[in-house]
Amino acid sequence: MAELPESLYLTAREAAAELGISLATLYAYVSRDMIRSEPMPDSRAKRYRAEDVRALKRRRSAEKPDATAGSGTLSFGLPVLDSAITLIADGRLHYRGSDATALAKSSNLEQVAALIWGCRDVQPFTKEAVLAPSERLKGLAAELARTSRIERCLSLLPLAALEDATVYNMTDRGLATTGARLLRYVAAVIAGEAPSDKPVHEVLTRALTQGEKPASELIRAALVLSADHELNASAFTVRCVAGTGATLYAAVQAGICAAQGPRHGGLSGRVESLLLDMSNRQDVEDAVLQRLKDNDPVPGFGHPLYPDGDPRAAALLSMVAEKYGDDANFLRAQRIFRVMEEAGGLKPNIDFAIATVGAVLHLPRGAGLSIFVLGRTAGWIGHAIEQYRTGLMIRPRARYTGEAPR
């Protein structure tokens, strides 16, 4: 075969640079016959067909709008799957087309759950849709009474699934009814009481407070605003588990595992610590400014998807101001978020707002995560149901960056 002109070849570094990849990834493409390589004359090095490199570059550009996005796609990057549940756009949050902040004014979590699950002709939250735990499960729940609320959920959900006779009913009605039992059971476990058909915000309010109406309204709104937030880490985890065919109970358990991480729902604990620390100081503004000066991040502020401020936080803090505007804990929180906006250029997010609710209502430590998990259970169930309906398993490919095959 006649030798091809040198201009039709690229060196390894040139090929990798043109594709924006590492040398190891280039070698992986060669091993999969995506790029042809040939030995260079009088050398142990290889050269790579420029036409193959450029054809691959064109294909990668066609597959995604920004071929250089790379791993950023999985971190507040490009959309990776379709969903009809939640829209985050123009600084607003919608559940199936309904503004979440408007829903938070009067809707309860059960109503929002039915909306998220797409229940048009089915009312899942009937009086009968309540799990009746066996004596064995009740006994185990009693034994775990002193453990944290979230750990109780993780311990009891797998056993509760064994006692839910219709957990494998994958019809629309079956999934909605199982979802209702599951949401109510999570509420009961967090509250430390028997499952019931009572509104879950009332169940949680009784467990965390004296049951006064203003507290109930704030907890109801916090649950609704926590119900879903598109394809976050826990929702994606839930969809991966549901895609394998696992039950709703298993999918929600996976969501809880992801949510309790300190970068996700567990962030609320750091905000609780911040507010507790500030409650012992007179120089709140100076303390916040010192953290900014020390480049010590103040938890509970800013969100990549809301450059102009988290609408969930704005809605919930507005309700707190309306009901507890003269409360010392709220006034202190207000001082914190004012100096953060002025000096740090950041507005409070939902984690700060929920922690503020906790401070105003004198909720126990960890209550913020409990509120988040119970609210988000509605969204997790919705994502699992949506994934079941696709009939697909989520199995992305990795971009190999390791050593070249030998």
Side-chain angles (χ1 to χ4, degrees):
M1 185 177 75
E3 186 173 347
L4 292 168
E6 192 69 24
S7 61
L8 295 184
Y9 287 106
L10 297 172
T11 67
R13 293 192 181 279
E14 290 171 340
E18 187 148 340
L19 288 168
I21 59 176
S22 66
L23 289 175
T25 302
L26 173 68
Y27 302 146
Y29 285 151
V30 172
S31 71
R32 289 154 57 188
D33 296 324
M34 298 172 71
I35 297 174
R36 288 171 289 177
S37 67
E38 299 175 12
M40 294 182 66
D42 304 319
S43 172
R44 297 178 61 184
K46 289 187 176 183
R47 55 188 180 179
Y48 301 84
R49 290 290 292 269
E51 61 180 308
D52 292 352
V53 171
R54 284 155 193 159
L56 178 59
K57 185 178 180 180
R58 286 193 297 273
R59 288 201 301 274
R60 294 174 72 222
S61 296
E63 288 170 1
K64 57 185 180 182
D66 181 5
T68 64
S71 60
T73 297
L74 295 178
S75 181
F76 296 102
L78 300 171
V80 297
L81 56 78
D82 295 335
S83 175
I85 296 175
T86 295
L87 172 67
I88 300 172
D90 302 321
R92 299 172 67 188
L93 173 68
H94 294 84
Y95 301 148
R96 291 195 184 272
S98 297
D99 190 308
T101 58
L103 291 170
K105 293 178 180 177
S106 58
S107 298
N108 62 34
L109 185 61
E110 290 89 336
Q111 292 168 327
V112 170
L115 172 66
I116 288 174
W117 303 347
C119 298
R120 295 182 178 86
D121 303 319
V122 177
Q123 171 46 259
F125 292 95
T126 63
K127 287 188 174 295
E128 293 73 33
V130 178
L131 182 72
S134 66
E135 291 302 319
R136 175 173 171 268
L137 190 55
K138 290 178 186 176
L140 182 57
E143 290 179 19
L144 295 171
R146 293 184 179 277
T147 62
S148 76
R149 293 177 171 86
I150 302 307
E151 291 300 328
R152 288 206 299 267
C153 288
L154 292 175
S155 298
L156 295 172
L157 280 179
L159 298 176
L162 299 177
E163 299 188 5
D164 192 335
T166 60
V167 72
Y168 300 107
N169 184 339
M170 304 300 281
T171 65
D172 288 351
R173 184 179 294 274
L175 287 168
T177 303
T178 300
R181 284 195 299 273
L182 175 52
L183 181 63
R184 284 168 165 170
Y185 184 67
V186 171
V189 172
I190 289 175
E193 61 180 59
S196 73
D197 64 348
K198 299 289 190 298
V200 296
H201 69 277
E202 293 182 7
V203 171
L204 192 59
T205 301
R206 280 199 310 273
L208 299 178
T209 74
Q210 300 300 313
E212 61 270 20
K213 184 174 175 55
S216 180
E217 285 296 289
L218 287 181
I219 289 175
R220 178 195 55 73
L223 290 172
V224 168
L225 291 168
S226 301
D228 194 55
H229 205 235
E230 197 216 57
L231 202 59
N232 49 74
S234 57
F236 188 70
T237 300
V238 165
R239 294 188 78 116
C240 288
V241 173
T244 69
T247 67
L248 275 177
Y249 284 80
V252 167
Q253 185 179 10
I256 296 173
C257 288
Q260 65 181 344
R263 293 181 178 178
H264 194 8
L267 179 63
S268 62
R270 293 173 54 200
V271 185
E272 288 173 348
S273 296
L274 169 73
L275 295 180
L276 181 62
D277 176 55
M278 293 298 173
S279 69
N280 298 316
R281 311 186 64 140
Q282 295 297 321
D283 58 337
V284 171
E285 288 85 358
D286 289 342
V288 174
L289 286 171
Q290 187 60 50
R291 292 186 69 150
L292 292 174
K293 190 180 298 184
D294 295 340
N295 198 27
D296 183 12
V298 180
F301 288 87
H303 196 292
L305 297 180
Y306 302 113
D308 296 323
D310 187 336
R312 302 168 297 174
L316 191 54
L317 289 171
S318 176
M319 291 184 67
V320 177
E322 180 184 335
K323 300 178 185 302
Y324 295 91
D326 58 353
D327 181 89
N329 288 301
F330 174 70
L331 293 174
R332 188 180 303 108
Q334 198 173 50
R335 291 166 66 188
I336 295 171
F337 66 69
R338 281 178 176 168
V339 73
M340 277 299 297
E341 184 171 0
E342 293 171 3
L346 295 173
K347 294 184 178 182
N349 58 33
I350 188 64
D351 299 296
F352 186 87
I354 290 177
T356 299
V357 169
V360 167
L361 299 181
H362 303 284
L363 303 185
R365 290 293 298 273
L369 181 58
S370 296
I371 292 171
F372 176 84
V373 164
L374 179 55
R376 190 56 56 89
T377 295
W380 291 332
I381 293 169
H383 280 282
I385 291 173
E386 191 174 59
Q387 192 62 39
Y388 291 142
R389 287 169 178 160
T390 70
L392 300 174
M393 185 172 77
I394 297 174
R395 203 305 188 182
R397 295 297 307 276
R399 180 178 297 109
Y400 180 70
T401 60
E403 295 185 12
R406 294 180 178 82

